[in-house]
Amino acid sequence: MNRTAAEAYLDSPPLVPGDRVHLIAASSPTDAAGFDHALATLEGWGLEVVVGEHVRAVHPELPYLAGTDEQRRADLEAAWCDPRTSAVIALRGGYGAMRLLDGLDFSRLAAHATRPDGRPKLLAGSSDVTALHQAWAHHLRVPTLFCPMVGNAVFRTSTRIAADVRSWLFEPWRGRSIAGPEARTLIPAPDGAPVPGRITGGNLSLLAASLGAPENPLPVASGTGIVLLEDVDETPARLDNLLLQLVRSGWTDGARAVALGSWEDCGSVAQIEALVHEVLGPLGIPVVWELGFGHAEDALSVPLGVAAALHAPAGGAPALTLIDPKETP
């Protein structure tokens, strides 16, 4: 990650009222209520919202996709390459973002990665958008925001989610901490000291599906990564398989710490916690449980590609705190 890019939002917010943002559908379709609420919310925050041409499209043969790959890819490239845009915000996850990667013109996207003031543009979204976060980190070397999707029902029902997303968009990031109310340390740091690193990761299913691709090389982050993992609608047995994929492939060899998010609709929480101990425990690195991000009702936002310190005390509340990249190895 470019150090200057990683510092970009420490002391100045990503957005201010009046900025232009693009609203796109990179994965699955969004219903009318979700789209209308997302648009009204962003405009209510004082942003100029440009809606992707195909944002309400549905693939004619694969209805789980928001239009064809060509349509979704065209909207994504047009949004990012608009010289006046400050951020590109994905409406929802589901499935489909990974299908866009091979056809994207990353040279063109990289040439349009900065705004006139020299700061990077921001990509925001989570879940299936993990595929785009990985690609932006690898090809464009810019920070992104892993945040709840503005087109999802939970964005309408949780005032805490909307307020948290807004704060990450309109406030500087230096010194901010992420810690959900249920956060606790599963495996503490050996010496009790905070573990510095660069935040990476996202949705476990997407990370496992992309192992070895250019956007997800082995091992992760070359020993500097604080890895985020979360998922939704997976059984404990399936999570077992996915975690083993990461470990056996060598992907986790580069991790310095792991911060786990929510496991919404994934079955027995006790089984998942036992699974984490069994599979991740032998890595010998700190592991924090339920940091607060993911698919939970009041899920928190987390920046990716920026420097942070994970506090994982044996006794006491864990937290992930953003720091200056000069403080990391």
Side-chain angles (χ1 to χ4, degrees):
M1 180 64 59
N2 179 283
R3 176 164 282 178
T4 301
E7 293 173 341
Y9 307 130
L10 287 178
D11 298 308
S12 61
L15 301 177
V16 296
D19 278 347
R20 173 181 288 186
V21 301
H22 282 250
L23 197 58
I24 64 161
S27 305
S28 293
T30 303
D31 60 24
F35 170 76
D36 291 344
H37 183 78
L39 180 59
T41 298
L42 295 174
E43 290 181 337
W45 291 348
L47 297 168
E48 177 194 353
V49 183
V50 178
V51 176
E53 179 181 354
H54 307 100
V55 77
R56 296 304 314 283
V58 178
H59 193 291
E61 297 171 340
L62 305 174
Y64 54 84
L65 297 174
T68 65
D69 293 351
E70 291 75 16
Q71 289 173 327
R72 301 194 322 283
R73 188 181 295 116
D75 281 2
L76 173 57
E77 287 203 5
W80 189 258
C81 294
D82 176 357
R84 288 188 53 204
T85 197
S86 295
V88 175
I89 300 174
L91 268 168
R92 66 155 296 187
Y95 177 74
M98 192 176 292
R99 293 173 61 114
L100 306 183
L101 299 184
D102 289 340
L104 288 172
D105 184 344
F106 286 109
S107 295
R108 179 174 179 239
L109 293 170
H112 290 84
T114 56
R115 310 177 222 184
D117 65 4
R119 295 188 305 154
K121 298 173 182 177
L122 185 70
L123 173 73
S126 60
S127 193
D128 185 63
V129 179
T130 294
L132 299 184
H133 287 299
Q134 289 183 292
W136 261 233
H138 179 76
H139 296 285
L140 276 59
R141 314 294 289 176
V142 296
T144 57
L145 184 64
F146 190 89
C147 65
M149 313 297 286
V150 297
N152 281 0
V154 71
F155 200 83
R156 304 195 296 275
T157 59
S158 171
T159 56
R160 291 180 61 185
I161 277 183
D164 187 60
V165 171
R166 183 176 185 175
S167 72
W168 283 100
L169 293 179
F170 290 95
E171 296 175 15
W173 292 358
R174 184 185 296 276
R176 292 196 59 168
S177 289
I178 300 103
E182 305 298 322
R184 55 190 171 87
T185 300
L186 285 188
I187 303 172
D191 58 2
V195 179
R198 179 170 57 83
I199 309 174
T200 186
N203 181 265
L204 173 58
S205 300
L206 270 294
L207 295 170
S210 64
L211 279 175
E215 297 81 17
N216 195 19
L218 305 173
V220 62
S222 300
T224 64
I226 296 174
V227 176
L228 308 182
L229 297 175
E230 62 84 29
D231 221 316
V232 62
D233 291 329
E234 300 286 359
T235 65
R238 170 71 173 157
L239 295 176
D240 189 329
N241 178 277
L242 296 170
L243 288 172
L244 280 175
Q245 271 188 280
L246 297 188
V247 173
R248 295 191 67 245
S249 69
W251 188 83
T252 53
D253 292 352
R256 302 193 68 194
V258 176
L260 303 170
S262 62
W263 305 101
E264 201 76 0
D265 298 324
C266 287
S268 167
V269 174
Q271 288 182 18
I272 298 169
E273 184 174 339
L275 170 65
V276 167
H277 272 289
E278 183 174 303
V279 178
L280 300 184
L283 298 178
I285 58 176
V287 178
V288 168
W289 177 262
E290 192 58 83
L291 196 65
F293 62 93
H295 287 80
E297 182 178 348
D298 291 318
L300 302 175
S301 301
V302 188
L304 299 175
V306 298
L310 184 67
H311 303 258
L320 183 65
T321 302
L322 271 62
I323 59 176
D324 194 294
K326 298 182 183 70
E327 300 176 47
T328 61

